[in-house]
Amino acid sequence: MKMKCVLLFSQQHTDFRLAELRGICRAHDIDAELLTKTVGVERAIYVLEAERRVVDLLLSRSMLLKSAYEWIEEGGEYEELHRRIEQRSGFFEPYNTADLSFSVRLRPVGRKKGVNALGRARLERSGTSTGGTKANSLHHLTTPADEVGERLPMGDAPVNLDAPDTAFTILEEYLHEKAPAPDRIYFGRLLGHGQFSLKNDFNLQDRIYIGNTTMDPELSFIQANITAVKAADIVIDPFCGTGGLLIPAAKFGALVMGSEINYQIAKAVGRSSRAGVEKRGADESTAANFKQYGLTEKFLSVVMGDASRHDMWRAVEFVDAVVSDPPYGIREKGRKIGFKERKEHWTLPGSEHLQHFPEKQVYSLASVFSDLVDLSASRLRVGGRVSFWFPVIRDE
């Protein structure tokens, strides 16, 4: 059965909002038509009808869907909202019991941070002078949450501000940051939160091994969602570096592997990418990153090799998704195996060496992306997905 829901989205990375929703729907075989017809990028709040199962699946994956609420009422101003809530007394009966606590929270959207204020007085201390003596008086200032709470038929349910069983929420939507009053006010029951906390759980500051181009965790999880990565998928990254794009795929249940041509990155040796640290430590490796997050069983391998040589991969369609952030030549140079222009002082004619490290030549940006598409076309299963970052210059 469908319910009327209020979806609250992050106001960051709005260009990826619809693509992420489509990817999550694809991963879970959900029809995305209703979502993409209703949800846009102009606002942070959208109201639609959806099954609870669909809402829960979106919340279980999305980085850009901050939270979802069961719609109760809405209005253009508080007087209208109060009147409508009072007419919906029957809705609150299942929650008005002594064994279910509740709270009313206020969340402005488009302005400053919200307030969790039901039953919590806001006190204003003002000083007045009487006959030369300073007297203090306390004035109780009610909040919108208090005013709404007074109108709820919740006399049997205890108030719990910290961990309520039922969290009623007022969403004030401000379409302009300096607007004196909200443009629209929504009142709903919290259904759950999205996965925005993953960007803190997987932050780069605490990660064991990072490189110069390790992708921001939030963007890497968004990419995994856009690519519709799901459990038991086989996902590869031909320019994997320290595994920054493979970690989210593994978190979502995929089996992951990659390739890396840079010996020092693949082996985690040489100069560290961390500020103030000279060399990489013995504990640093791509495998250590997966172990840190409890994802070792999802990590298959990193092959030290040239991404332009596709014969390192089995010549069959065995991959479900390719995710990548190819080198653009800014923080990391694009390189592939090949001969450079010879210089006389490099080696003497006929000299022999105990070890041989293949020479590398410049890997042009055009060749990088054409090879990546060729690899995807030859190794992806039917219905497979490929996603990659591409440098662009936007007009100001």
Side-chain angles (χ1 to χ4, degrees):
M1 178 181 293
K2 291 185 177 181
M3 64 167 58
K4 195 171 183 179
C5 301
V6 182
L7 303 184
L8 173 61
F9 289 91
S10 167
Q11 293 165 291
Q12 301 294 320
H13 307 304
T14 55
D15 289 346
F16 298 138
R17 182 185 293 173
L18 293 178
E20 188 194 40
L21 288 178
R22 291 191 189 99
I24 296 171
C25 288
R26 180 173 181 173
H28 293 285
D29 295 323
I30 299 170
D31 185 0
E33 184 178 1
L34 174 62
L35 283 170
T36 54
K37 279 186 176 181
T38 305
V39 177
V41 298
E42 299 82 11
R43 302 168 63 177
I45 296 176
Y46 290 89
V47 178
L48 53 79
E49 290 191 355
E51 296 178 12
R52 175 64 188 269
R53 177 187 69 89
V54 172
V55 175
D56 288 342
L57 286 173
L58 293 175
L59 292 172
S60 72
R61 288 282 301 258
S62 180
M63 299 293 291
L64 299 179
L65 176 58
K66 298 181 75 172
S67 50
Y69 308 83
E70 180 181 8
W71 182 93
I72 300 175
E73 274 301 342
E74 64 181 274
E77 55 186 21
Y78 273 103
E79 288 185 4
E80 179 186 0
L81 181 66
H82 295 163
R83 185 172 63 254
R84 292 186 173 186
I85 289 175
E86 289 170 349
Q87 296 171 354
R88 293 287 306 277
S89 59
F91 176 88
F92 301 95
E93 289 182 6
Y95 310 105
N96 185 26
T97 64
D99 57 343
L100 290 178
S101 61
F102 81 104
S103 70
V104 177
R105 295 171 175 172
L106 173 64
R107 187 165 189 174
V109 179
R111 290 195 72 179
K112 60 184 179 180
K113 199 172 181 180
V115 180
N116 179 8
L118 180 61
R120 182 177 293 170
R122 279 171 33 182
L123 301 176
E124 180 186 70
R125 184 176 297 273
S126 62
T128 58
S129 180
T130 305
T133 303
K134 190 173 184 180
N136 291 326
S137 61
L138 297 177
H139 300 280
H140 180 85
L141 299 179
T142 61
T143 69
D146 292 314
E147 294 173 356
V148 169
E150 290 172 359
R151 289 166 170 80
L152 299 184
M154 301 289 290
D156 295 333
V159 173
N160 185 331
L161 299 181
D162 297 321
D165 296 301
T166 307
F168 296 111
T169 304
I170 304 166
L171 296 173
E172 294 182 338
E173 183 180 32
Y174 293 84
L175 299 182
H176 303 283
E177 185 177 355
K178 296 182 179 180
D183 295 274
R184 197 72 180 165
I185 308 168
Y186 303 87
F187 184 62
R189 180 179 67 89
L190 178 67
L191 298 176
H193 297 292
Q195 300 303 307
F196 53 88
S197 62
L198 289 175
K199 67 182 181 182
N200 296 321
D201 297 340
F202 289 80
N203 72 84
L204 299 186
Q205 184 176 355
D206 296 329
R207 188 171 297 179
I208 291 176
Y209 180 38
I210 62 171
N212 293 335
T213 59
T214 299
M215 180 61 68
D216 169 79
E218 182 176 18
L219 292 175
S220 63
F221 274 96
I222 290 173
Q223 182 174 1
N225 280 330
I226 291 175
T227 318
V229 172
K230 61 184 183 300
D233 275 355
I234 295 178
V235 179
I236 66 171
D237 179 358
F239 304 94
C240 73
T242 63
L245 295 184
L246 295 176
I247 288 172
K251 176 64 176 177
F252 291 148
L255 300 172
V256 301
M257 62 188 305
S259 64
E260 174 56 51
I261 193 172
N262 188 314
Y263 177 89
Q264 291 190 324
I265 294 176
K267 295 294 186 180
V269 296
R271 186 176 179 179
S272 174
S273 297
R274 297 186 186 278
V277 179
E278 184 176 350
K279 292 187 176 182
R280 295 186 173 112
D283 61 330
E284 296 184 44
S285 70
T286 303
N289 284 342
F290 286 86
K291 183 178 180 180
Q292 176 183 4
Y293 300 122
L295 300 172
T296 299
E297 63 178 12
K298 303 297 182 183
F299 176 59
L300 300 180
S301 178
V302 170
V303 178
M304 192 165 64
D306 184 349
S308 69
R309 307 293 180 92
H310 299 166
D311 52 359
M312 78 169 78
W313 307 103
R314 292 176 57 194
V316 294
E317 299 172 352
F318 72 101
V319 178
D320 296 290
V322 177
V323 295
S324 194
D325 178 27
Y328 311 139
I330 299 176
R331 285 184 294 173
E332 289 290 346
K333 297 178 180 179
R335 290 288 184 264
K336 65 178 181 178
I337 301 299
F339 292 109
K340 300 178 182 178
E341 183 180 351
R342 311 307 299 167
K343 295 183 180 180
E344 292 184 1
H345 67 275
W346 281 0
T347 57
L348 296 175
S351 63
E352 296 182 0
H353 304 275
L354 295 178
Q355 287 184 301
H356 173 68
F357 294 91
E359 293 180 27
K360 301 181 185 70
Q361 61 182 201
V362 173
Y363 197 7
S364 70
L365 197 60
S367 295
V368 167
F369 289 105
S370 62
D371 284 348
L372 179 59
V373 172
D374 286 344
L375 172 66
S376 302
S378 62
R379 298 303 190 272
L380 282 174
R381 304 179 196 269
V382 175
R385 293 84 61 198
V386 55
S387 67
F388 53 87
W389 295 90
F390 189 88
V392 295
I393 299 176
R394 291 188 172 185
D395 295 331
E396 296 296 335

Short mmCIF file of all heavy atoms in Angstrom, two decimals, residues 285-326:
data_model
loop_
_atom_site.label_atom_id
_atom_site.label_comp_id
_atom_site.label_asym_id
_atom_site.label_seq_id
_atom_site.Cartn_x
_atom_site.Cartn_y
_atom_site.Cartn_z
N SER A 285 48.30 -0.27 2.70
CA SER A 285 48.08 -1.03 1.46
C SER A 285 46.62 -0.93 1.10
O SER A 285 45.77 -0.58 1.94
CB SER A 285 48.47 -2.50 1.63
OG SER A 285 47.57 -3.17 2.49
N THR A 286 46.30 -1.24 -0.13
CA THR A 286 44.90 -1.25 -0.56
C THR A 286 44.13 -2.30 0.22
O THR A 286 43.00 -2.07 0.67
CB THR A 286 44.80 -1.53 -2.07
OG1 THR A 286 45.56 -0.54 -2.78
CG2 THR A 286 43.36 -1.47 -2.54
N ALA A 287 44.74 -3.46 0.42
CA ALA A 287 44.08 -4.53 1.18
C ALA A 287 43.79 -4.09 2.61
O ALA A 287 42.76 -4.45 3.19
CB ALA A 287 44.94 -5.79 1.17
N ALA A 288 44.69 -3.28 3.18
CA ALA A 288 44.50 -2.81 4.56
C ALA A 288 43.27 -1.92 4.67
O ALA A 288 42.58 -1.91 5.70
CB ALA A 288 45.74 -2.06 5.03
N ASN A 289 42.98 -1.16 3.61
CA ASN A 289 41.77 -0.33 3.62
C ASN A 289 40.52 -1.18 3.74
O ASN A 289 39.60 -0.86 4.50
CB ASN A 289 41.70 0.52 2.35
CG ASN A 289 42.66 1.70 2.38
OD1 ASN A 289 43.14 2.10 3.45
ND2 ASN A 289 42.95 2.25 1.22
N PHE A 290 40.46 -2.26 2.98
CA PHE A 290 39.29 -3.13 3.02
C PHE A 290 39.18 -3.83 4.38
O PHE A 290 38.09 -4.00 4.92
CB PHE A 290 39.33 -4.14 1.88
CG PHE A 290 39.03 -3.53 0.54
CD1 PHE A 290 40.02 -2.95 -0.22
CD2 PHE A 290 37.73 -3.54 0.05
CE1 PHE A 290 39.73 -2.38 -1.45
CE2 PHE A 290 37.43 -2.97 -1.18
CZ PHE A 290 38.44 -2.38 -1.93
N LYS A 291 40.33 -4.20 4.93
CA LYS A 291 40.32 -4.83 6.26
C LYS A 291 39.83 -3.84 7.31
O LYS A 291 39.08 -4.21 8.23
CB LYS A 291 41.73 -5.32 6.60
CG LYS A 291 41.80 -6.04 7.93
CD LYS A 291 43.22 -6.56 8.19
CE LYS A 291 43.29 -7.29 9.53
NZ LYS A 291 44.66 -7.79 9.80
N GLN A 292 40.22 -2.58 7.18
CA GLN A 292 39.82 -1.55 8.14
C GLN A 292 38.31 -1.43 8.22
O GLN A 292 37.76 -1.23 9.31
CB GLN A 292 40.42 -0.21 7.70
CG GLN A 292 40.00 0.97 8.58
CD GLN A 292 40.56 2.29 8.07
OE1 GLN A 292 41.21 2.35 7.03
NE2 GLN A 292 40.31 3.36 8.80
N TYR A 293 37.62 -1.60 7.10
CA TYR A 293 36.16 -1.44 7.06
C TYR A 293 35.42 -2.78 7.11
O TYR A 293 34.21 -2.81 6.88
CB TYR A 293 35.77 -0.67 5.81
CG TYR A 293 36.38 0.70 5.73
CD1 TYR A 293 37.18 1.07 4.65
CD2 TYR A 293 36.18 1.64 6.74
CE1 TYR A 293 37.75 2.33 4.57
CE2 TYR A 293 36.76 2.89 6.68
CZ TYR A 293 37.54 3.25 5.59
OH TYR A 293 38.11 4.49 5.53
N GLY A 294 36.13 -3.85 7.41
CA GLY A 294 35.48 -5.15 7.50
C GLY A 294 35.00 -5.68 6.17
O GLY A 294 34.00 -6.41 6.10
N LEU A 295 35.72 -5.36 5.09
CA LEU A 295 35.29 -5.73 3.74
C LEU A 295 36.29 -6.65 3.04
O LEU A 295 36.27 -6.78 1.81
CB LEU A 295 35.10 -4.46 2.89
CG LEU A 295 34.04 -3.47 3.41
CD1 LEU A 295 34.09 -2.17 2.61
CD2 LEU A 295 32.66 -4.09 3.35
N THR A 296 37.14 -7.30 3.81
CA THR A 296 38.18 -8.14 3.21
C THR A 296 37.61 -9.22 2.30
O THR A 296 38.16 -9.50 1.23
CB THR A 296 39.03 -8.79 4.32
OG1 THR A 296 39.66 -7.76 5.09
CG2 THR A 296 40.09 -9.70 3.73
N GLU A 297 36.50 -9.81 2.68
CA GLU A 297 35.94 -10.90 1.89
C GLU A 297 35.40 -10.42 0.54
O GLU A 297 35.18 -11.24 -0.37
CB GLU A 297 34.82 -11.59 2.66
CG GLU A 297 33.63 -10.70 2.96
CD GLU A 297 32.52 -11.44 3.68
OE1 GLU A 297 32.76 -12.57 4.14
OE2 GLU A 297 31.42 -10.87 3.79
N LYS A 298 35.21 -9.11 0.39
CA LYS A 298 34.73 -8.57 -0.89
C LYS A 298 35.87 -8.14 -1.81
O LYS A 298 35.64 -7.86 -2.99
CB LYS A 298 33.82 -7.36 -0.63
CG LYS A 298 32.62 -7.65 0.27
CD LYS A 298 31.69 -8.67 -0.35
CE LYS A 298 30.48 -8.91 0.54
NZ LYS A 298 29.59 -9.96 -0.02
N PHE A 299 37.08 -8.08 -1.27
CA PHE A 299 38.23 -7.61 -2.04
C PHE A 299 38.94 -8.80 -2.69
O PHE A 299 39.49 -9.66 -2.00
CB PHE A 299 39.19 -6.87 -1.10
CG PHE A 299 40.46 -6.41 -1.75
CD1 PHE A 299 40.44 -5.56 -2.84
CD2 PHE A 299 41.68 -6.84 -1.27
CE1 PHE A 299 41.62 -5.14 -3.44
CE2 PHE A 299 42.87 -6.42 -1.84
CZ PHE A 299 42.83 -5.58 -2.94
N LEU A 300 38.94 -8.83 -4.02
CA LEU A 300 39.55 -9.95 -4.74
C LEU A 300 41.04 -9.72 -4.96
O LEU A 300 41.86 -10.55 -4.59
CB LEU A 300 38.84 -10.17 -6.07
CG LEU A 300 37.34 -10.50 -5.99
CD1 LEU A 300 36.75 -10.68 -7.39
CD2 LEU A 300 37.11 -11.75 -5.15
N SER A 301 41.40 -8.59 -5.57
CA SER A 301 42.82 -8.39 -5.88
C SER A 301 43.03 -7.03 -6.53
O SER A 301 42.08 -6.40 -7.02
CB SER A 301 43.33 -9.48 -6.83
OG SER A 301 44.68 -9.26 -7.17
N VAL A 302 44.28 -6.58 -6.52
CA VAL A 302 44.72 -5.48 -7.37
C VAL A 302 45.82 -6.03 -8.27
O VAL A 302 46.82 -6.56 -7.79
CB VAL A 302 45.27 -4.29 -6.56
CG1 VAL A 302 45.93 -3.28 -7.49
CG2 VAL A 302 44.15 -3.60 -5.80
N VAL A 303 45.63 -5.92 -9.58
CA VAL A 303 46.62 -6.39 -10.55
C VAL A 303 47.52 -5.21 -10.91
O VAL A 303 47.02 -4.14 -11.27
CB VAL A 303 45.93 -6.92 -11.82
CG1 VAL A 303 46.97 -7.37 -12.84
CG2 VAL A 303 44.98 -8.05 -11.48
N MET A 304 48.81 -5.39 -10.79
CA MET A 304 49.73 -4.33 -11.20
C MET A 304 49.94 -4.47 -12.70
O MET A 304 50.62 -5.39 -13.17
CB MET A 304 51.06 -4.43 -10.45
CG MET A 304 51.93 -3.20 -10.64
SD MET A 304 53.28 -3.12 -9.46
CE MET A 304 54.22 -4.56 -9.94
N GLY A 305 49.33 -3.58 -13.44
CA GLY A 305 49.40 -3.71 -14.89
C GLY A 305 48.91 -2.47 -15.60
O GLY A 305 48.47 -1.50 -14.98
N ASP A 306 48.97 -2.52 -16.90
CA ASP A 306 48.64 -1.41 -17.79
C ASP A 306 47.16 -1.49 -18.17
O ASP A 306 46.71 -2.47 -18.77
CB ASP A 306 49.52 -1.51 -19.02
CG ASP A 306 49.34 -0.36 -19.99
OD1 ASP A 306 48.38 0.41 -19.81
OD2 ASP A 306 50.16 -0.24 -20.91
N ALA A 307 46.40 -0.47 -17.83
CA ALA A 307 44.96 -0.48 -18.10
C ALA A 307 44.64 -0.51 -19.59
O ALA A 307 43.54 -0.89 -19.98
CB ALA A 307 44.30 0.75 -17.45
N SER A 308 45.60 -0.12 -20.43
CA SER A 308 45.34 -0.14 -21.87
C SER A 308 45.48 -1.54 -22.46
O SER A 308 45.08 -1.78 -23.59
CB SER A 308 46.31 0.81 -22.60
OG SER A 308 47.64 0.31 -22.56
N ARG A 309 46.05 -2.47 -21.68
CA ARG A 309 46.23 -3.85 -22.13
C ARG A 309 45.06 -4.70 -21.61
O ARG A 309 45.11 -5.22 -20.50
CB ARG A 309 47.57 -4.41 -21.65
CG ARG A 309 48.79 -3.57 -21.99
CD ARG A 309 49.06 -3.53 -23.48
NE ARG A 309 50.22 -2.72 -23.82
CZ ARG A 309 51.46 -3.17 -23.94
NH1 ARG A 309 51.69 -4.46 -23.73
NH2 ARG A 309 52.44 -2.37 -24.25
N HIS A 310 44.05 -4.84 -22.38
CA HIS A 310 42.84 -5.50 -21.91
C HIS A 310 42.99 -7.00 -21.76
O HIS A 310 42.15 -7.66 -21.14
CB HIS A 310 41.68 -5.19 -22.86
CG HIS A 310 41.36 -3.73 -22.95
ND1 HIS A 310 40.56 -3.19 -23.92
CD2 HIS A 310 41.77 -2.67 -22.17
CE1 HIS A 310 40.48 -1.88 -23.76
NE2 HIS A 310 41.21 -1.55 -22.72
N ASP A 311 44.07 -7.55 -22.32
CA ASP A 311 44.23 -9.01 -22.23
C ASP A 311 44.62 -9.47 -20.83
O ASP A 311 44.70 -10.67 -20.58
CB ASP A 311 45.26 -9.51 -23.25
CG ASP A 311 46.59 -8.77 -23.17
OD1 ASP A 311 46.70 -7.85 -22.33
OD2 ASP A 311 47.49 -9.10 -23.96
N MET A 312 44.81 -8.54 -19.89
CA MET A 312 45.04 -8.98 -18.51
C MET A 312 43.74 -9.50 -17.88
O MET A 312 43.77 -10.20 -16.88
CB MET A 312 45.59 -7.82 -17.66
CG MET A 312 44.55 -6.81 -17.20
SD MET A 312 45.19 -5.65 -15.97
CE MET A 312 46.11 -4.54 -17.00
N TRP A 313 42.60 -9.13 -18.46
CA TRP A 313 41.30 -9.59 -17.99
C TRP A 313 40.82 -10.76 -18.85
O TRP A 313 41.13 -10.82 -20.04
CB TRP A 313 40.26 -8.47 -18.06
CG TRP A 313 40.68 -7.21 -17.36
CD1 TRP A 313 41.14 -6.06 -17.94
CD2 TRP A 313 40.71 -6.97 -15.96
NE1 TRP A 313 41.43 -5.12 -17.00
CE2 TRP A 313 41.18 -5.65 -15.76
CE3 TRP A 313 40.36 -7.74 -14.84
CZ2 TRP A 313 41.32 -5.09 -14.50
CZ3 TRP A 313 40.50 -7.17 -13.58
CH2 TRP A 313 40.97 -5.87 -13.42
N ARG A 314 40.10 -11.66 -18.26
CA ARG A 314 39.53 -12.78 -19.02
C ARG A 314 38.74 -12.26 -20.20
O ARG A 314 37.98 -11.30 -20.09
CB ARG A 314 38.61 -13.62 -18.13
CG ARG A 314 39.31 -14.38 -17.02
CD ARG A 314 38.31 -15.09 -16.16
NE ARG A 314 37.46 -15.99 -16.93
CZ ARG A 314 36.33 -16.54 -16.48
NH1 ARG A 314 35.89 -16.24 -15.27
NH2 ARG A 314 35.63 -17.35 -17.23
N ALA A 315 38.90 -12.89 -21.34
CA ALA A 315 38.26 -12.44 -22.58
C ALA A 315 36.83 -12.93 -22.67
O ALA A 315 36.40 -13.51 -23.67
CB ALA A 315 39.08 -12.91 -23.78
N VAL A 316 36.08 -12.70 -21.61
CA VAL A 316 34.66 -13.06 -21.59
C VAL A 316 33.91 -11.93 -20.90
O VAL A 316 34.50 -11.09 -20.21
CB VAL A 316 34.40 -14.39 -20.83
CG1 VAL A 316 35.02 -15.56 -21.55
CG2 VAL A 316 34.91 -14.31 -19.39
N GLU A 317 32.61 -11.90 -21.05
CA GLU A 317 31.79 -10.88 -20.41
C GLU A 317 31.45 -11.34 -19.00
O GLU A 317 30.46 -12.02 -18.78
CB GLU A 317 30.53 -10.64 -21.24
CG GLU A 317 30.83 -10.14 -22.65
CD GLU A 317 29.59 -10.10 -23.53
OE1 GLU A 317 28.53 -10.60 -23.09
OE2 GLU A 317 29.68 -9.56 -24.64
N PHE A 318 32.27 -10.93 -18.04
CA PHE A 318 32.10 -11.42 -16.67
C PHE A 318 31.90 -10.31 -15.65
O PHE A 318 31.67 -10.56 -14.47
CB PHE A 318 33.32 -12.25 -16.25
CG PHE A 318 34.57 -11.45 -16.00
CD1 PHE A 318 34.97 -11.14 -14.70
CD2 PHE A 318 35.34 -10.98 -17.05
CE1 PHE A 318 36.11 -10.40 -14.46
CE2 PHE A 318 36.49 -10.24 -16.82
CZ PHE A 318 36.88 -9.95 -15.53
N VAL A 319 31.95 -9.06 -16.09
CA VAL A 319 31.90 -7.91 -15.18
C VAL A 319 30.49 -7.31 -15.19
O VAL A 319 29.87 -7.17 -16.24
CB VAL A 319 32.93 -6.85 -15.59
CG1 VAL A 319 32.85 -5.63 -14.67
CG2 VAL A 319 34.33 -7.43 -15.57
N ASP A 320 30.01 -6.96 -13.99
CA ASP A 320 28.70 -6.32 -13.87
C ASP A 320 28.79 -4.80 -13.93
O ASP A 320 27.86 -4.13 -14.38
CB ASP A 320 28.02 -6.73 -12.56
CG ASP A 320 27.72 -8.21 -12.51
OD1 ASP A 320 26.83 -8.65 -13.25
OD2 ASP A 320 28.40 -8.93 -11.75
N ALA A 321 29.89 -4.25 -13.45
CA ALA A 321 30.02 -2.79 -13.45
C ALA A 321 31.49 -2.39 -13.48
O ALA A 321 32.35 -3.07 -12.89
CB ALA A 321 29.34 -2.17 -12.22
N VAL A 322 31.76 -1.30 -14.18
CA VAL A 322 33.09 -0.68 -14.20
C VAL A 322 32.94 0.71 -13.61
O VAL A 322 32.11 1.50 -14.05
CB VAL A 322 33.64 -0.59 -15.63
CG1 VAL A 322 34.99 0.14 -15.63
CG2 VAL A 322 33.78 -1.97 -16.26
N VAL A 323 33.73 1.00 -12.58
CA VAL A 323 33.75 2.34 -11.99
C VAL A 323 35.18 2.86 -12.07
O VAL A 323 36.13 2.10 -11.86
CB VAL A 323 33.28 2.34 -10.52
CG1 VAL A 323 31.81 1.94 -10.44
CG2 VAL A 323 34.11 1.41 -9.66
N SER A 324 35.35 4.13 -12.38
CA SER A 324 36.71 4.61 -12.54
C SER A 324 36.80 6.12 -12.43
O SER A 324 35.83 6.84 -12.69
CB SER A 324 37.26 4.16 -13.91
OG SER A 324 38.66 4.32 -13.95
N ASP A 325 37.97 6.56 -12.04
CA ASP A 325 38.33 7.97 -12.04
C ASP A 325 39.69 8.05 -12.73
O ASP A 325 40.73 8.09 -12.08
CB ASP A 325 38.41 8.50 -10.60
CG ASP A 325 38.83 9.96 -10.55
OD1 ASP A 325 38.57 10.68 -11.53
OD2 ASP A 325 39.43 10.38 -9.54
N PRO A 326 39.71 8.07 -14.07
CA PRO A 326 40.97 7.99 -14.81
C PRO A 326 41.87 9.19 -14.53
O PRO A 326 41.40 10.26 -14.14
CB PRO A 326 40.51 7.99 -16.28
CG PRO A 326 39.09 7.57 -16.25
CD PRO A 326 38.55 8.11 -14.96
#
